[in-house]
Amino acid sequence: MTLLILALAVIPIAVVGTISYRQSIKIVEEQTMKSNLNTVEQTADNIDEVFKSMDALAMEMWRDDDFMECLMMKSNGQNPVYETLTAQQRINHYIVFKENVYSVYIKAYNGLEFDTMSAQNEIDKDVEQELVRLQGKYVIIQDEITDYDGTVQKVFSLLRVLKHPKDLARDLAIIKINILEKDISNIYGANLLSQGSEIFIIDAQKNILSALDQAQIGKKLEEDIHGSREMSGYAVREIRGEKSMCTTVPLQQPGWELVNIIPLKELTRDSRAIRQVMIVVILISIVCCLLAIVFFTTKVLKPLKELGKSMKNLEHENFQTILPEQGNDEVALVCQSFNKMSRKLNELINEVYAGRLKQKEAELRVLHEQINPHFLYNTLNTIYWMCKIEHAKESALLVDSLSKLFRLSLNSGKEITTVEKEVEYLRHYIVIQKKRYEENIRFELEVDEATLGCLTVKLPLQPLV
């Protein structure tokens, strides 16, 4: 019964708990993936905004007539110092309020060069040709610059050609706006969903351009991070031996992607609390079941066990067994019926036993009354005749009287006799007494003849005589 109750209680709870836990894990993972996708998309938008602000800075400087005048000066090897200083001041003025901009480098085709950090900037020939081909559109590259103190900085650079304001076919300069790579990584590093996750920027060839771990920059991402549902933005992939969620969001720069990789165990970390709650619920349910079993055993099974023991006592003819009658449930009714049966059996057994004892006593009494007096009577009668043969008259008279005395006392086993037989009994009794006491006894008996036929109990007069 205990195992059955435990099985009926624990198995459904465990099954429901397991299904609920798995379902909750699935829901948590799905919600976390969607939340993480939104976070990565928002981070990508923030990065794109930074790149847009760099382009906006370039456009502001292009609209500055004083600055552009300096770039439009003809190159004669002796550019006016005043105009050069004016252009440098204008550049410095623009970047003062641009927190993300690290430095601005301008390479004018009239021979002038400007750099707000006095850093060493180089523009690759291929990049320069690409800028010319783009006719004023910008490109963003991952680059390195060397500061005046020799420090090498990893930067993202926005480059575009500055056209003549009034003659767009004429190229005046190439502007290069630099932003530190760590400033970009700080943007997505602040939005990490989990400490165990990785996030970085890759280009179309899967080269890592930016990462929280600087050692990864420049390496190639070998793992497949795109799933069959690329429209959703995330997929589950095996990354370095463990299942991970890969979230990819395209950046504004063509071919670039912001990639986030999170091990699934990190996503389900919060779900462990659900599992713990589920385990606690199952344990509480088991304890409640055990308490219910104890109650059931005490209230139902224990009285039934006592009933079984009492029935065994009845088998061993112990009819004094009585069960306590408590409550008014079915078990109590069974106990009441058992007690009635036990009492009835005890009464019947006692009646039968007493009847048998009385029957035995009666049989013995009859035997005694029949065997002993008859035996004695017959024996006395034999002695009487032997005295007759031996001519012992006195002895024969006594024996005859004693024999008749016993015969009359037997009265054929009846308790009621007649007055006549009682009188005869007394006469034989006196004969014996006279022989014993001789002349010391005088006996007279007067009997109304009318009373001789009356009935009386045996031996009422002998004690009186």
Side-chain angles (χ1 to χ4, degrees):
M1 188 71 71
T2 301
L3 293 176
L4 179 62
I5 294 176
L6 279 176
L8 292 177
V10 175
I11 291 177
I13 293 174
V15 171
V16 172
T18 302
I19 295 174
S20 301
Y21 174 69
R22 290 183 177 178
Q23 207 56 28
S24 64
I25 290 295
K26 185 177 179 181
I27 294 173
V28 168
E29 286 182 357
E30 193 70 24
Q31 294 296 326
T32 305
M33 287 178 180
K34 290 180 180 179
S35 175
N36 188 64
L37 176 61
N38 293 332
T39 301
V40 176
E41 287 177 343
Q42 182 62 47
T43 304
D45 290 340
N46 294 339
I47 294 173
D48 286 336
E49 286 298 322
V50 172
F51 291 154
K52 287 180 181 179
S53 67
M54 295 166 66
D55 183 51
L57 174 60
M59 294 305 296
E60 286 183 31
M61 297 176 67
W62 180 71
R63 295 189 187 97
D64 189 329
D65 294 337
D66 295 335
F67 174 70
M68 294 303 293
E69 281 291 335
C70 183
L71 298 182
M72 288 185 287
M73 291 186 301
K74 292 181 180 181
S75 176
N76 54 11
Q78 295 181 352
N79 293 310
V81 177
Y82 176 75
E83 284 78 3
T84 302
L85 291 175
T86 300
Q88 185 67 52
Q89 290 174 355
R90 299 298 296 174
I91 296 172
N92 293 338
H93 169 75
Y94 280 112
I95 70 170
V96 168
F97 302 102
K98 303 295 182 181
E99 295 181 0
N100 292 328
V101 175
Y102 181 71
S103 67
V104 175
Y105 169 70
I106 296 176
K107 179 182 179 182
Y109 288 123
N110 62 4
L112 294 177
E113 287 189 25
F114 303 95
D115 190 288
T116 57
M117 290 294 293
S118 300
Q120 297 178 11
N121 287 266
E122 294 184 3
I123 301 176
D124 188 84
K125 293 295 183 181
D126 294 335
V127 175
E128 190 171 344
Q129 290 176 4
E130 179 68 14
L131 292 173
V132 173
R133 188 186 64 80
L134 290 174
Q135 293 295 317
K137 295 181 180 179
Y138 71 85
V139 295
I140 300 176
I141 64 172
Q142 194 267 339
D143 198 7
E144 290 183 353
I145 62 174
T146 303
D147 285 342
Y148 64 91
D149 57 358
T151 303
V152 178
Q153 301 284 359
K154 295 183 183 298
V155 296
F156 283 101
S157 302
L158 182 142
L159 298 96
R160 71 181 306 159
V161 174
L162 296 179
K163 298 284 188 178
H164 193 291
K166 296 179 180 179
D167 184 6
L168 296 180
R170 180 182 171 188
D171 298 334
L172 297 180
I174 296 176
I175 183 171
K176 181 185 179 192
I177 302 176
N178 301 313
I179 181 171
L180 293 175
E181 182 276 334
K182 64 181 180 181
D183 288 339
I184 295 295
S185 62
N186 286 339
I187 294 175
Y188 53 72
N191 295 325
L192 278 179
L193 187 66
S194 171
Q195 293 299 323
S197 66
E198 298 178 80
I199 187 166
F200 39 78
I201 298 174
I202 61 173
D203 60 13
Q205 289 74 38
K206 291 189 177 181
N207 295 313
I208 298 177
L209 305 177
S210 175
L212 293 175
D213 184 5
Q214 296 292 303
Q216 289 184 313
I217 297 176
K219 294 182 179 180
K220 196 175 187 66
L221 184 63
E222 300 294 341
E223 291 84 5
D224 179 18
I225 58 175
H226 295 96
S228 58
R229 299 184 300 163
E230 292 188 28
M231 294 300 294
S232 66
Y234 58 85
V236 177
R237 283 286 178 265
E238 186 97 8
I239 305 294
R240 290 185 287 277
E242 63 178 342
K243 286 189 176 181
S244 302
M245 182 189 74
C246 301
T247 305
T248 57
V249 176
L251 295 173
Q252 192 175 22
Q253 181 67 11
W256 287 19
E257 289 181 316
L258 182 63
V259 179
N260 180 219
I261 298 177
I262 304 179
L264 287 182
K265 65 180 181 180
E266 294 293 333
L267 292 179
T268 57
R269 178 176 295 175
D270 294 338
S271 62
R272 294 175 187 169
I274 300 176
R275 180 178 61 186
Q276 292 174 353
V277 170
M278 201 69 65
I279 293 174
V280 170
V281 170
I282 292 176
L283 291 177
I284 291 176
S285 301
I286 293 175
V287 171
C288 293
C289 290
L290 291 175
L291 293 177
I293 291 170
V294 171
F295 176 79
F296 181 77
T297 303
T298 304
K299 289 293 183 180
V300 179
L301 297 183
K302 186 177 180 181
L304 291 179
K305 285 185 177 181
E306 293 295 329
L307 181 61
K309 292 180 180 178
S310 300
M311 288 184 173
K312 288 187 179 294
N313 290 334
L314 285 182
E315 292 178 3
H316 293 89
E317 299 182 0
N318 182 7
F319 302 106
Q320 302 296 328
T321 303
I322 299 296
L323 292 174
E325 301 176 7
Q326 297 178 350
N328 55 358
D329 56 4
E330 290 79 1
V331 177
L333 294 176
V334 171
C335 292
Q336 292 175 7
S337 300
F338 176 83
N339 291 338
K340 290 180 181 178
M341 179 186 69
S342 179
R343 294 189 186 99
K344 192 67 177 177
L345 285 174
N346 191 34
E347 292 175 2
L348 292 174
I349 293 298
N350 288 334
E351 290 178 3
V352 171
Y353 185 70
R356 286 181 178 177
L357 287 178
K358 290 179 180 178
Q359 183 181 358
K360 293 292 183 181
E361 290 176 358
E363 291 175 352
L364 289 174
R365 186 169 62 250
V366 169
L367 287 175
H368 286 145
E369 289 177 351
Q370 291 180 354
I371 295 175
N372 294 339
H374 281 288
F375 175 76
L376 185 59
Y377 171 73
N378 292 332
T379 302
L380 292 174
N381 194 30
T382 301
I383 296 172
Y384 168 74
W385 285 109
M386 289 178 67
C387 290
K388 279 279 191 180
I389 293 172
E390 295 174 355
H391 303 287
K393 296 182 179 180
E394 293 295 328
S395 298
L397 179 62
L398 290 174
V399 171
D400 182 54
S401 297
L402 182 60
S403 173
K404 291 179 179 178
L405 189 72
F406 274 107
R407 181 178 60 81
L408 289 172
S409 66
L410 181 62
N411 194 30
S412 299
K414 299 177 181 178
E415 294 293 331
I416 302 299
T417 187
T418 61
V419 173
E420 183 178 5
K421 289 183 177 181
E422 283 296 302
V423 170
E424 185 181 358
Y425 178 87
L426 289 175
R427 285 177 179 154
H428 289 299
Y429 176 74
I430 290 300
V431 171
I432 295 172
Q433 293 296 335
K434 277 187 174 182
K435 197 63 180 177
R436 179 181 178 186
Y437 295 103
E438 296 181 350
E439 298 301 327
N440 293 328
I441 294 179
R442 288 184 301 137
F443 180 74
E444 294 180 3
L445 179 63
E446 295 180 1
V447 181
D448 186 349
E449 295 294 331
T451 64
L452 294 177
C454 294
L455 300 177
T456 182
V457 295
K458 291 190 303 180
L459 307 177
L461 301 177
Q462 190 262 346
L464 178 62
V465 172

